[in-house]
Amino acid sequence: QVQLVESGGSSVPLGGSLRLSCEVSGINLEDYNIGWFRQAPGSEREGIACTSMGQVPSWDSDSIFIKGRFTISRDNARKTVVLQMSDVVQDDTGVYSCAASRLYCGRLYRMYEFWGQGTQVIVST
């Protein structure tokens, strides 16, 4: 059974940093591209970044609201993909989810096969 479990979400002060983790089981992480997405209340799901397993390029959002503040990394041995957030702003509040795809690594969430339940991030002022 494939499972992606996100953790690390919490309340974080404006301008602070947060480290989110996505732990994968039931698949070999080396065979999958892993993306991070977020969804704010009342908004569509938004792609942040994707780390490739090597067959396709990795991808990072070029949104001015994301670029330069989020870093994705993977540890295949630990079956974990990390999203490091820095200089958080109010609009970073939302549910953050990771997803796995064998063939795709980009912003289109419908292209991902497996999803985690998400972890809540709240930016406090």
Side-chain angles (χ1 to χ4, degrees), residues 43-98:
S43 299
E44 284 199 3
R45 189 174 288 170
E46 177 182 28
I48 300 169
C50 175
T51 172
S52 167
M53 48 72 162
Q55 298 285 340
V56 295
S58 291
W59 169 80
D60 293 285
S61 172
D62 58 1
S63 166
I64 59 172
F65 303 106
I66 292 173
K67 192 174 184 177
R69 299 189 297 113
F70 293 76
T71 303
I72 191 171
S73 60
R74 67 159 68 201
D75 185 334
N76 287 338
R78 290 191 168 90
K79 304 193 81 171
T80 299
V81 177
V82 169
L83 182 71
Q84 181 68 46
M85 305 170 59
S86 62
D87 298 321
V88 297
V89 300
Q90 194 71 52
D91 286 346
D92 292 334
T93 293
V95 176
Y96 285 69
S97 302
C98 59

Side-chain angles (χ1 to χ4, degrees), residues 9 29 34 39 75 77 84 114 116 120 122 125:
L29 185 56
I34 304 295
Q39 188 165 20
D75 185 334
Q84 181 68 46
F114 304 107
Q120 178 77 53
I122 298 173
T125 56

